[in-house]
Amino acid sequence: MAEEHTLLIVKPDGVRRGLTGEVLRRVEAKGLRIAELRMDRVDRALAEEQYAEHRDKPFFGELVDFITSGDVVVARVVGERAVSVLRTLMGPTDPATAPPGTIRGDFGTVITENLVHGSDSPESARRELELFFGPGDP
Ligand SMILES: Nc1nc2c(ncn2[C@@H]2O[C@H](COP(=O)(O)OP(=O)(O)O)[C@@H](O)[C@H]2O)c(=O)[nH]1
Ligand SMILES: [Mg+2]
């Protein structure tokens, strides 16, 4: 058993399009558990910290503008290998080529508006969960 915690964000496009329930349904149906959940608004400082690894990328400004453009839903998701299981449910970054059956593959075409964020490693998950939920569980 290797239960992990990871951060899920339903991005502003997902919330605006009424897909929050669909995303959470898939997470729960897969067998992961939603341990904490809230609707939130990401300010620029938090967005820049969350996406610090992308600071020098050409799309950084667009990414920060987008994630701060509307309400998001943030969740602490827990379960066996939760980090990689959530990433598999999400699908690859570009929804235009993400396979059908994945969240990104089923609901989008534009890379900036790819519906969901999920931590990419247990280390990222710890860092990002602390940003959004404060110190606490792993
Ligand atoms: N416009 C644009 N946005 C990108 C590109 N690569 C990544 N992004 C956006 O930046 C977010 C963070 O990138 P990354 O961590 O590499 O992807 P993720 O972990 O699959 O979300 C992605 O979810 C996309 O919304 C790109 O080449 N162009
Ligand atoms: Mg990432």
mmCIF file of all heavy atoms in Angstrom, residues 11 50-51 53-54 63 87 90 93 104 116-121 124 128, ligand 2:
data_model
loop_
_atom_site.group_PDB
_atom_site.id
_atom_site.type_symbol
_atom_site.label_atom_id
_atom_site.label_comp_id
_atom_site.label_asym_id
_atom_site.label_seq_id
_atom_site.Cartn_x
_atom_site.Cartn_y
_atom_site.Cartn_z
ATOM 1 N N LYS A 11 -9.830 24.003 -13.221
ATOM 2 C CA LYS A 11 -9.449 25.348 -13.657
ATOM 3 C C LYS A 11 -10.693 26.166 -14.030
ATOM 4 O O LYS A 11 -11.796 25.618 -14.170
ATOM 5 C CB LYS A 11 -8.479 25.239 -14.845
ATOM 6 C CG LYS A 11 -7.129 24.584 -14.488
ATOM 7 C CD LYS A 11 -6.193 24.610 -15.699
ATOM 8 C CE LYS A 11 -4.868 23.942 -15.404
ATOM 9 N NZ LYS A 11 -3.932 24.045 -16.566
ATOM 10 N N GLN A 50 2.616 28.805 -7.515
ATOM 11 C CA GLN A 50 2.222 27.452 -7.911
ATOM 12 C C GLN A 50 2.944 27.022 -9.194
ATOM 13 O O GLN A 50 3.387 25.886 -9.318
ATOM 14 C CB GLN A 50 0.709 27.394 -8.133
ATOM 15 C CG GLN A 50 0.223 25.985 -8.458
ATOM 16 C CD GLN A 50 -1.054 25.999 -9.264
ATOM 17 O OE1 GLN A 50 -1.798 26.971 -9.258
ATOM 18 N NE2 GLN A 50 -1.315 24.917 -9.956
ATOM 19 N N TYR A 51 3.045 27.939 -10.152
ATOM 20 C CA TYR A 51 3.632 27.616 -11.452
ATOM 21 C C TYR A 51 5.070 28.120 -11.576
ATOM 22 O O TYR A 51 5.539 28.369 -12.690
ATOM 23 C CB TYR A 51 2.763 28.202 -12.562
ATOM 24 C CG TYR A 51 1.485 27.422 -12.829
ATOM 25 C CD1 TYR A 51 0.247 28.052 -12.812
ATOM 26 C CD2 TYR A 51 1.520 26.050 -13.136
ATOM 27 C CE1 TYR A 51 -0.929 27.347 -13.089
ATOM 28 C CE2 TYR A 51 0.366 25.345 -13.409
ATOM 29 C CZ TYR A 51 -0.855 25.996 -13.383
ATOM 30 O OH TYR A 51 -2.009 25.298 -13.657
ATOM 31 N N GLU A 53 7.900 26.791 -11.619
ATOM 32 C CA GLU A 53 8.781 26.040 -12.528
ATOM 33 C C GLU A 53 8.645 26.514 -13.980
ATOM 34 O O GLU A 53 9.515 26.248 -14.807
ATOM 35 C CB GLU A 53 8.485 24.532 -12.456
ATOM 36 C CG GLU A 53 7.094 24.197 -12.948
ATOM 37 C CD GLU A 53 6.774 22.696 -13.002
ATOM 38 O OE1 GLU A 53 7.502 21.954 -13.653
ATOM 39 O OE2 GLU A 53 5.765 22.301 -12.380
ATOM 40 N N HIS A 54 7.542 27.206 -14.296
ATOM 41 C CA HIS A 54 7.301 27.652 -15.672
ATOM 42 C C HIS A 54 7.592 29.136 -15.880
ATOM 43 O O HIS A 54 7.278 29.682 -16.936
ATOM 44 C CB HIS A 54 5.843 27.381 -16.060
ATOM 45 C CG HIS A 54 5.478 25.933 -16.041
ATOM 46 N ND1 HIS A 54 6.177 24.982 -16.739
ATOM 47 C CD2 HIS A 54 4.484 25.264 -15.398
ATOM 48 C CE1 HIS A 54 5.631 23.786 -16.533
ATOM 49 N NE2 HIS A 54 4.610 23.934 -15.708
ATOM 50 N N LEU A 63 -0.656 31.639 -18.833
ATOM 51 C CA LEU A 63 -1.044 30.645 -17.829
ATOM 52 C C LEU A 63 -1.537 31.324 -16.552
ATOM 53 O O LEU A 63 -2.594 30.963 -16.002
ATOM 54 C CB LEU A 63 0.190 29.774 -17.545
ATOM 55 C CG LEU A 63 0.123 28.677 -16.511
ATOM 56 C CD1 LEU A 63 -0.966 27.688 -16.850
ATOM 57 C CD2 LEU A 63 1.481 27.964 -16.452
ATOM 58 N N ARG A 87 -3.100 11.835 -12.637
ATOM 59 C CA ARG A 87 -2.510 12.277 -13.910
ATOM 60 C C ARG A 87 -3.024 11.425 -15.077
ATOM 61 O O ARG A 87 -3.273 11.930 -16.169
ATOM 62 C CB ARG A 87 -0.982 12.213 -13.853
ATOM 63 C CG ARG A 87 -0.335 13.145 -12.855
ATOM 64 C CD ARG A 87 -0.275 14.569 -13.288
ATOM 65 N NE ARG A 87 0.470 14.792 -14.500
ATOM 66 C CZ ARG A 87 0.816 15.998 -14.956
ATOM 67 N NH1 ARG A 87 0.476 17.097 -14.274
ATOM 68 N NH2 ARG A 87 1.469 16.133 -16.074
ATOM 69 N N MET A 90 -6.487 12.534 -15.951
ATOM 70 C CA MET A 90 -6.473 13.843 -16.619
ATOM 71 C C MET A 90 -6.105 13.726 -18.081
ATOM 72 O O MET A 90 -6.651 14.431 -18.925
ATOM 73 C CB MET A 90 -5.434 14.765 -15.945
ATOM 74 C CG MET A 90 -5.818 15.231 -14.568
ATOM 75 S SD MET A 90 -4.397 15.891 -13.635
ATOM 76 C CE MET A 90 -3.633 16.990 -14.805
ATOM 77 N N THR A 93 -1.024 16.938 -21.357
ATOM 78 C CA THR A 93 -1.248 18.381 -21.215
ATOM 79 C C THR A 93 -2.084 18.986 -22.339
ATOM 80 O O THR A 93 -2.928 19.842 -22.090
ATOM 81 C CB THR A 93 0.132 19.093 -21.168
ATOM 82 O OG1 THR A 93 0.904 18.484 -20.128
ATOM 83 C CG2 THR A 93 -0.014 20.572 -20.896
ATOM 84 N N ARG A 104 -9.001 15.595 -20.158
ATOM 85 C CA ARG A 104 -8.585 16.579 -21.161
ATOM 86 C C ARG A 104 -8.966 16.118 -22.565
ATOM 87 O O ARG A 104 -9.376 16.925 -23.411
ATOM 88 C CB ARG A 104 -7.087 16.815 -21.046
ATOM 89 C CG ARG A 104 -6.731 17.635 -19.796
ATOM 90 C CD ARG A 104 -5.273 17.550 -19.440
ATOM 91 N NE ARG A 104 -4.867 18.575 -18.486
ATOM 92 C CZ ARG A 104 -3.636 18.657 -17.972
ATOM 93 N NH1 ARG A 104 -2.716 17.758 -18.293
ATOM 94 N NH2 ARG A 104 -3.346 19.620 -17.121
ATOM 95 N N VAL A 116 -8.041 20.963 -15.992
ATOM 96 C CA VAL A 116 -7.608 20.477 -14.685
ATOM 97 C C VAL A 116 -6.103 20.645 -14.494
ATOM 98 O O VAL A 116 -5.328 20.610 -15.444
ATOM 99 C CB VAL A 116 -7.959 18.980 -14.479
ATOM 100 C CG1 VAL A 116 -9.407 18.817 -14.080
ATOM 101 C CG2 VAL A 116 -7.627 18.142 -15.710
ATOM 102 N N HIS A 117 -5.752 20.789 -13.224
ATOM 103 C CA HIS A 117 -4.353 20.683 -12.800
ATOM 104 C C HIS A 117 -4.250 19.500 -11.842
ATOM 105 O O HIS A 117 -5.131 19.309 -11.003
ATOM 106 C CB HIS A 117 -3.917 21.958 -12.067
ATOM 107 C CG HIS A 117 -2.595 21.794 -11.366
ATOM 108 N ND1 HIS A 117 -1.395 21.958 -12.009
ATOM 109 C CD2 HIS A 117 -2.298 21.415 -10.095
ATOM 110 C CE1 HIS A 117 -0.406 21.704 -11.154
ATOM 111 N NE2 HIS A 117 -0.934 21.382 -9.983
ATOM 112 N N GLY A 118 -3.172 18.752 -11.954
ATOM 113 C CA GLY A 118 -2.877 17.710 -10.964
ATOM 114 C C GLY A 118 -1.387 17.710 -10.702
ATOM 115 O O GLY A 118 -0.587 17.850 -11.644
ATOM 116 N N SER A 119 -0.994 17.574 -9.459
ATOM 117 C CA SER A 119 0.436 17.577 -9.118
ATOM 118 C C SER A 119 1.157 16.487 -9.915
ATOM 119 O O SER A 119 0.608 15.416 -10.156
ATOM 120 C CB SER A 119 0.623 17.307 -7.624
ATOM 121 O OG SER A 119 -0.167 18.188 -6.849
ATOM 122 N N ASP A 120 2.424 16.783 -10.301
ATOM 123 C CA ASP A 120 3.129 15.836 -11.180
ATOM 124 C C ASP A 120 4.059 14.872 -10.452
ATOM 125 O O ASP A 120 4.678 14.017 -11.084
ATOM 126 C CB ASP A 120 3.874 16.586 -12.284
ATOM 127 C CG ASP A 120 4.989 17.479 -11.749
ATOM 128 O OD1 ASP A 120 5.302 17.413 -10.545
ATOM 129 O OD2 ASP A 120 5.546 18.256 -12.553
ATOM 130 N N SER A 121 4.200 15.008 -9.144
ATOM 131 C CA SER A 121 5.040 14.086 -8.366
ATOM 132 C C SER A 121 4.625 14.216 -6.900
ATOM 133 O O SER A 121 4.003 15.214 -6.515
ATOM 134 C CB SER A 121 6.529 14.457 -8.498
ATOM 135 O OG SER A 121 6.766 15.705 -7.858
ATOM 136 N N SER A 124 5.946 17.549 -5.632
ATOM 137 C CA SER A 124 5.113 18.682 -6.060
ATOM 138 C C SER A 124 3.807 18.702 -5.289
ATOM 139 O O SER A 124 3.298 19.766 -4.930
ATOM 140 C CB SER A 124 4.765 18.591 -7.546
ATOM 141 O OG SER A 124 5.913 18.568 -8.327
ATOM 142 N N GLU A 128 2.412 21.868 -3.301
ATOM 143 C CA GLU A 128 1.194 22.523 -3.776
ATOM 144 C C GLU A 128 0.055 22.395 -2.758
ATOM 145 O O GLU A 128 -0.734 23.326 -2.585
ATOM 146 C CB GLU A 128 0.771 21.912 -5.111
ATOM 147 C CG GLU A 128 1.786 22.187 -6.221
ATOM 148 C CD GLU A 128 1.449 21.479 -7.527
ATOM 149 O OE1 GLU A 128 0.461 20.709 -7.577
ATOM 150 O OE2 GLU A 128 2.186 21.695 -8.495
HETATM 151 MG MG MG B 2 2.470 20.495 -14.355
#
